[in-house]
Amino acid sequence: MPSSEHGEMSASPARRWSFAWKMSLRTTVLLMAFVGAALIFALILIDLGDLTIAEASLNGIEIILPLLAGMSAALLFAPDDEPILELMLSSPRPVQWVLYERLFVLAALQLGIGVIGSVIVASQPSGEPFLQHVMRWFAPTVAMIGICLWSSVWGRRTSYGVLMAVVLCAGMAIANDVLLIRFPDLWTIIFYVQPRDLPAERYLMNRLILILIGAALTGLVFYRLRDSEKMLGTGEKRG
Amino acid sequence: MTKMLTIARYELLMAFRRRSLVILLVLFLASIFVFADISRLTNQTSVIVLPGEGSTPARIEDLNMLPDEAIPVWMRGVDLNLWYRSGGVFTTLIAALILMGIAIVMFTNESIPLDRQYRVRELLDAMPLSRTAYLAGKVLGVWGGLLAISALTALFSAVILRAMLGPYDLRYLALLWLAFELPLILLAGGLAVLLTSWTRTRRGAVLMSLLVLPIVILLVALGIMSLSGIGVLIHPAYAFHILLSPDESSVEVVIGRIRHALPMLLGSLIASWCLAYGWQRLREGR
């Protein structure tokens, strides 16, 4: 069904659609959020037990949170893995709403975990200031959500997004140590650059670029969702 | 046997049509390229630290200048430049294998769950097809695809590594591919197919593979520690790459490691098979 028809249908009484929060919670894999939270808080507890290593490793949150947020984002929506995609596309409620809901739940869960973690870290004597700590994980998390969501929708399969999450996180860790020597300009997009390694304005620029990448790719996904034919894979090879 | 091979053939065909094999091939080649570049970058100085207490770093160029009496016995008669660059090949293949393991688990997990998602399983259940033939067909199909792209990657990697690192010991690369990379690639594929077989959808298979992934990585790491020393069969000097002191005993040490690891690697595959088979039987019992 062409996307323009949604508008005509939404004028009918069927417009009184409701939210599907429970399904959105299931789709965002609540368990993954719990695992992420448990890992992050366990790491913080371990660090606080030994303050000599705390300074170096209180930032485990900046590795775990983007990875898990990316994996969860990859699971949000993949056309070939949605069992009732045709029904979704033909219902009065625009398909974008499904993703809005799921994305909202995902953001609330993951960002909530991150903020609580940052509050705990900031409240410690050796911890960073709250805002500085939030900047560590927020930008990579937004970037990972955008990249992994886009990979799943573009590749039509969840596995693309999940693989992207794992490879990107591992790749960024290597890039931070190895590739930056070879390609110094990569500081613009490396997730794990440290505030002490770059001038303040460059560090801020890096964070901003990452957020823009994430936002742009999320926007692209919503744009692609407007085209029902593409969503159904008409004229494309399907798995 | 015919049924099993037919299932394997169609699985291979479907993996190609779903573009999984093409993507895996691209990823394999990209990983070889990236890690070869990193290896070239980190090995630019051509410095090694010889085994033994109080050893200082030595440059390959300087070692080449020394008379035979001044260098360790295992180095005598060895083309040190070729040997050193082969070390780059070794590290490239190890790093690439980790990435390949992750990608294989992600792209081969859907083999059996898709049959349930597309309701093909009901049709298959109505046919005189044994569980063994079905499972073996699926595993063989995935292995066939992985064999094909591994062969292509091995061929292309020989060229990529020659272009990026310079001349190296081609026998070493061939042996590493045959006795180290290929078995672990097939192991990862087999485990991914079998351990995700009880899920009902492709999405479920992806979630399951996130749990399977650490197991596969652990076994691949075990394989790296044991099988990667296979180069000593060509020359004991290659023991240096796995941090062993190269001498006559290094061959025995490497063979001993392989002998210890093989039951674990094969055992994991057999255990996965039993789990998948048992699950199918349980499902039919219901």
Side-chain angles (χ1 to χ4, degrees):
Chain A
M1 177 188 293
S3 56
S4 59
E5 288 180 33
H6 284 312
E8 291 165 26
M9 290 186 75
S10 62
S12 70
R15 182 169 182 162
R16 293 189 297 273
W17 60 73
S18 58
F19 294 105
W21 296 115
K22 279 184 186 169
M23 189 59 197
S24 298
L25 270 171
R26 274 180 60 188
T27 322
T28 46
V29 193
L30 210 51
L31 185 66
M32 204 180 283
F34 281 126
V35 170
L39 274 174
I40 287 168
F41 295 122
L43 199 66
I44 290 173
L45 279 178
I46 291 167
D47 291 341
L48 294 179
D50 185 354
L51 288 176
T52 52
I53 59 164
E55 193 183 351
S57 57
L58 270 176
N59 307 321
I61 191 169
E62 72 183 314
I63 295 168
I64 295 171
L65 202 63
L67 174 66
L68 289 171
M71 281 183 185
S72 302
L75 291 159
L76 286 187
F77 191 89
D80 280 354
D81 295 348
E82 286 292 335
I84 48 164
L85 185 63
E86 286 89 345
L87 273 180
M88 264 192 209
L89 291 169
S90 58
S91 76
R93 193 172 81 146
V95 73
Q96 289 96 322
W97 277 75
V98 175
L99 196 55
Y100 282 134
E101 269 178 29
R102 293 179 184 180
L103 204 56
F104 179 80
V105 173
L106 170 76
L109 278 173
Q110 300 291 348
L111 300 184
I113 293 167
V115 168
I116 294 170
S118 289
V119 168
I120 296 173
V121 170
S123 64
Q124 301 308 313
S126 59
E128 276 183 317
F130 175 74
L131 272 180
Q132 192 177 325
H133 195 262
V134 167
M135 271 167 54
R136 279 182 180 277
W137 56 262
F138 181 74
T141 303
V142 173
M144 280 292 273
I145 287 175
I147 293 168
C148 298
L149 183 61
W150 178 79
S151 301
S152 284
V153 172
W154 175 79
R156 306 188 62 83
R157 283 157 60 177
T158 309
S159 46
Y160 283 70
V162 175
L163 180 68
M164 185 63 90
V166 177
V167 170
L168 252 188
C169 271
M172 286 291 173
I174 294 171
N176 200 35
D177 293 332
V178 182
L179 288 184
L180 265 181
I181 305 164
R182 174 78 188 270
F183 307 106
D185 290 339
L186 276 183
W187 64 264
T188 47
I189 53 163
I190 300 280
F191 287 179
Y192 308 128
V193 287
Q194 300 298 309
R196 62 173 177 274
D197 296 338
L198 290 176
E201 66 275 13
R202 280 197 170 190
Y203 184 72
L204 277 174
M205 178 83 84
N206 164 276
R207 302 288 101 173
L208 196 64
I209 289 171
L210 290 180
I211 291 171
L212 282 176
I213 289 173
L217 288 175
T218 309
L220 268 180
V221 167
F222 282 110
Y223 184 76
R224 191 176 169 92
L225 283 183
R226 292 174 59 188
D227 191 337
S228 307
E229 293 294 328
K230 264 190 187 166
M231 276 301 99
L232 286 168
T234 317
E236 290 179 18
K237 279 184 186 173
R238 301 194 64 201
Chain B
M1 188 71 176
T2 316
K3 289 173 187 171
M4 189 175 74
L5 290 178
T6 308
I7 290 177
R9 188 159 58 90
Y10 277 108
E11 184 56 38
L12 180 62
L13 189 67
M14 286 308 291
F16 181 72
R17 287 190 62 196
R18 286 181 212 128
R19 288 173 283 185
S20 302
L21 288 182
V22 180
I23 291 164
L24 278 176
L25 179 64
V26 171
L27 273 171
F28 280 20
L29 290 175
S31 62
I32 294 280
F33 183 82
V34 170
F35 290 118
D37 194 43
I38 293 173
S39 175
R40 183 176 60 170
L41 185 75
T42 50
N43 293 332
Q44 270 174 344
T45 48
S46 301
V47 171
I48 60 165
V49 179
L50 295 170
E53 280 186 28
S55 292
T56 52
R59 292 179 61 209
I60 294 291
E61 288 83 2
D62 299 338
L63 289 170
N64 271 329
M65 300 287 190
L66 295 173
D68 267 4
E69 302 78 51
I71 59 172
V73 178
W74 61 268
M75 272 190 174
R76 293 171 194 169
V78 175
D79 182 339
L80 289 180
N81 289 320
L82 204 69
W83 168 80
Y84 184 76
R85 281 192 291 266
S86 300
V89 170
F90 175 78
T91 49
T92 302
L93 289 189
I94 283 186
L97 183 63
I98 304 274
L99 184 67
M100 288 175 194
I102 296 170
I104 287 167
V105 172
M106 284 299 154
F107 281 97
T108 55
N109 58 32
E110 61 189 19
S111 177
I112 293 174
L114 263 189
D115 280 352
R116 294 216 182 88
Q117 185 169 320
Y118 293 156
R119 306 284 179 204
V120 179
R121 223 28 250 269
E122 280 84 345
L123 280 175
L124 289 171
D125 286 347
M127 293 170 75
L129 178 72
S130 71
R131 284 182 291 269
T132 310
Y134 176 71
L135 274 181
K138 288 287 181 185
V139 173
L140 284 180
V142 167
W143 278 357
L146 290 176
L147 264 174
I149 59 169
S150 295
L152 283 173
T153 313
L155 281 176
F156 283 119
S157 67
V159 179
I160 292 171
L161 291 167
R162 173 68 175 76
M164 298 186 75
L165 303 178
Y168 58 86
D169 191 343
L170 201 58
R171 294 171 306 162
Y172 189 48
L173 178 78
L175 189 61
L176 282 177
W177 264 105
L178 281 175
F180 165 56
E181 297 272 323
L182 199 55
L184 294 178
I185 283 173
L186 296 183
L187 177 77
L191 289 177
V193 172
L194 294 170
L195 290 177
T196 57
S197 64
W198 60 275
T199 53
R200 292 174 175 278
T201 59
R202 183 147 65 182
R203 188 183 145 81
V206 171
L207 281 172
M208 188 60 200
S209 62
L210 288 176
L211 295 177
V212 171
L213 201 56
I215 300 169
V216 172
I217 295 296
L218 197 71
L219 288 168
V220 167
L222 177 74
I224 287 172
M225 283 187 279
S226 53
L227 303 183
S228 64
I230 198 81
V232 294
L233 296 182
I234 295 174
H235 195 286
Y238 288 119
F240 186 83
H241 296 159
I242 52 164
L243 306 177
L244 275 180
S245 186
D247 51 37
E248 294 305 318
S249 67
S250 54
V251 178
E252 283 171 30
V253 172
V254 168
I255 289 173
R257 283 185 186 180
I258 294 172
R259 205 176 285 149
H260 274 100
L262 273 183
M264 180 86 87
L265 299 175
L266 286 175
S268 66
L269 200 59
I270 292 166
S272 308
W273 173 279
C274 293
L275 275 174
Y277 187 88
W279 170 255
Q280 287 217 352
R281 194 168 173 157
L282 189 74
R283 194 179 142 271
E284 279 173 27
R286 282 184 199 158

